Amino acid sequence: MTAILTPKRLAPTDVLRVGASGLRTHPLRVLLSALGIAIGIAAMVSIVGITASGRAGLNAELAKLGNNLLVVGPAQGALGADAKLPTEAETMINRIDHVQSVTAVGAVRGAKVYRNDHVPTELSNGITVVASRLNLPAVVSADVAAGSWLTPAAQRFPAVVLGAKAAEWLGFDASDLGGQIWLGGRWYTVTGILRSAMLAEELDAAVFVGWENATEDLGFDGHASAVYVRAEESAIGSVHSRLARTANPESPSDVRVSRPSDVLIAKAAADRALTSLLVGLGAVALLVGGIGVANTMVISVLERRAEIGLRRALGATRTQIWVQFLTEAVLLALLGGGSGVILGAAATAAYAMAQHWTMALPGWAVAGAVGATFTIGCLAGIYPAVRAARLAPTEALASN
């Protein structure tokens, strides 16, 4: 009786062992092929991670500063001339329901500020002199970096507080507190320096003087150039819609109302659009890496024809040969993908740490990276695997 030989099935562990053996024989080639996949995955993971971390940092900053700040100012007329807010605007706005706090600043036109009285008049660096209410830092969430803010007593005398950029441009730091600057043709003592105001960046380039001092000594007309309003977050829309006609009932069209946090959110949206572009570039790098894997596997098939022929002669089926080379391609891609995920996560962590953000790497980004590398490995390995499986044993052995 003739015995019927049936091919033995390969266990999953055997499939992995046989597939990995091909990678161990050419480590340098495997490293270079996996590098292409790793670069693409690292680029995609780090871009998504950095964007997510930046968004988380922005949300945390807004949660700390509050996104319920509204700014009321005069609108620019058709002829380019700025309108003026009524002097009662601040008081009237404070009467609106759901308004929590109000403060104001007023541009002191004609007053120039210099480091000393020897600086030429045309070199004012564009620093703005503004009259300020005493509660300004509390309303706009601007901390004092050094020294102190204006006090009820100091606001009547020649004392100033510098915005963050104004201090830098004037060459002032904490060690210079108590020194003087030349403002409006007289000396003013610097009592404090503000940190950068995230929700009111226009204040960074300003020098603040007391409202009373500006009116009495610098010719300030008492009209606010900006009124900062904190409203209850749940009623922010209602307050926003009423501000213009409350600030200037006779001419609401001469009033502009803005929400600084909207600008920050718009910047985040622009960052997301840029992220989509960069992820696309990462996908191109991933595609190039996949082509490299396919090329490596085709060369591997050509070099290992004798091995394929010997395995076929010893009873390996076409399916087993096909599975072996497909597994090898997938393992090669996953090797690059795993390295890319680690590199991308490390880049995200380093950048987030440098920016003082909390690292945020979405789980879907990691899962997507692994899924993409698995897909690339399968697609890149199909043709070489099919080519290896179609080799006849006699043909493969004869080519040795």
Side-chain angles (χ1 to χ4, degrees):
M1 180 180 292
T2 305
I4 300 177
L5 300 176
T6 56
K8 183 175 178 59
R9 281 174 167 270
L10 287 177
T13 54
D14 293 330
V15 172
L16 292 175
R17 180 174 52 81
V18 172
S21 65
L23 301 181
R24 290 195 298 268
T25 55
H26 297 90
L28 182 58
R29 182 189 298 168
V30 167
L31 175 63
L32 295 176
S33 299
L35 185 60
I37 296 284
I39 291 174
I41 291 296
M44 296 176 70
V45 169
S46 60
I47 289 166
V48 172
I50 289 172
T51 303
S53 298
R55 193 177 304 123
L58 174 61
N59 291 336
E61 194 68 27
L62 285 177
K64 182 176 69 175
L65 299 176
N67 60 357
N68 61 336
L69 179 68
L70 298 168
V71 183
V72 180
Q76 191 174 57
L79 299 178
D82 284 340
K84 286 187 176 182
L85 292 177
T87 54
E88 306 85 8
E90 191 179 349
T91 303
M92 293 188 294
I93 289 172
N94 202 30
R95 294 173 181 167
I96 299 176
D97 292 337
H98 308 295
V99 167
Q100 296 173 324
S101 56
V102 178
T103 191
V105 295
V108 182
R109 307 184 189 281
K112 300 293 184 180
V113 58
Y114 306 94
R115 186 64 174 84
N116 55 55
D117 57 348
H118 300 298
V119 179
T121 56
E122 65 272 12
L123 300 180
S124 63
N125 282 330
I127 299 174
T128 306
V129 179
V130 298
S132 174
R133 297 298 189 189
L134 297 182
N135 63 339
L136 177 69
V139 176
V140 302
S141 298
D143 297 328
V144 177
S148 61
W149 178 246
L150 297 170
T151 63
Q155 72 162 338
R156 298 192 300 270
F157 298 102
V160 298
V161 174
L162 308 180
K165 288 183 179 177
E168 179 183 344
W169 294 340
L170 289 171
F172 255 84
D173 57 29
S175 63
D176 297 314
L177 290 177
Q180 294 185 315
I181 59 174
W182 187 251
L183 192 160
R186 61 181 299 183
W187 292 104
Y188 274 70
T189 301
V190 177
T191 64
I193 299 173
L194 290 182
R195 297 188 193 279
S196 181
M198 184 177 180
L199 292 179
E201 293 181 347
E202 66 277 6
L203 298 179
D204 290 348
V207 170
F208 304 93
V209 298
W211 201 276
E212 292 184 24
N213 177 265
T215 304
E216 296 173 1
D217 296 340
L218 298 175
F220 175 50
D221 60 8
H223 291 274
S225 56
V227 178
Y228 298 92
V229 182
R230 285 283 185 182
E232 295 177 13
E233 212 165 316
S234 59
I236 196 77
S238 171
V239 173
H240 186 286
S241 65
R242 298 163 63 184
L243 280 173
R245 63 178 182 268
T246 301
N248 192 346
E250 295 183 358
S251 184
S253 60
D254 287 338
V255 180
R256 58 174 174 80
V257 181
S258 61
R259 188 178 180 186
S261 59
D262 287 344
V263 177
L264 298 177
I265 293 170
K267 288 181 180 179
D271 289 342
R272 286 196 292 273
L274 180 60
T275 297
S276 300
L277 173 62
L278 295 177
V279 167
L281 295 177
V284 172
L286 187 59
L287 176 61
V288 172
I291 294 173
V293 171
N295 183 58
T296 297
M297 294 309 301
V298 169
I299 294 174
S300 181
V301 169
L302 295 176
E303 289 183 344
R304 295 160 63 187
R305 289 162 67 96
E307 175 195 332
I308 296 169
L310 181 60
R311 289 201 62 207
R312 289 296 310 279
L314 293 175
T317 65
R318 288 189 174 187
T319 300
Q320 290 173 341
I321 297 297
W322 183 84
V323 170
Q324 172 190 345
F325 279 88
L326 183 62
T327 301
E328 190 172 322
V330 171
L331 289 175
L332 178 56
L334 289 176
L335 175 63
S339 302
V341 169
I342 294 173
L343 290 174
T348 299
Y351 191 83
M353 187 179 300
Q355 298 295 323
H356 305 290
W357 296 338
T358 299
M359 178 183 171
L361 184 60
W364 62 262
V366 176
V370 174
T373 53
F374 180 80
T375 302
I376 288 290
C378 289
L379 295 176
I382 287 176
Y383 172 71
V386 170
R387 182 168 179 170
R390 286 180 176 175
L391 286 175
T394 53
E395 178 189 350
L397 289 170
S399 65
N400 187 17

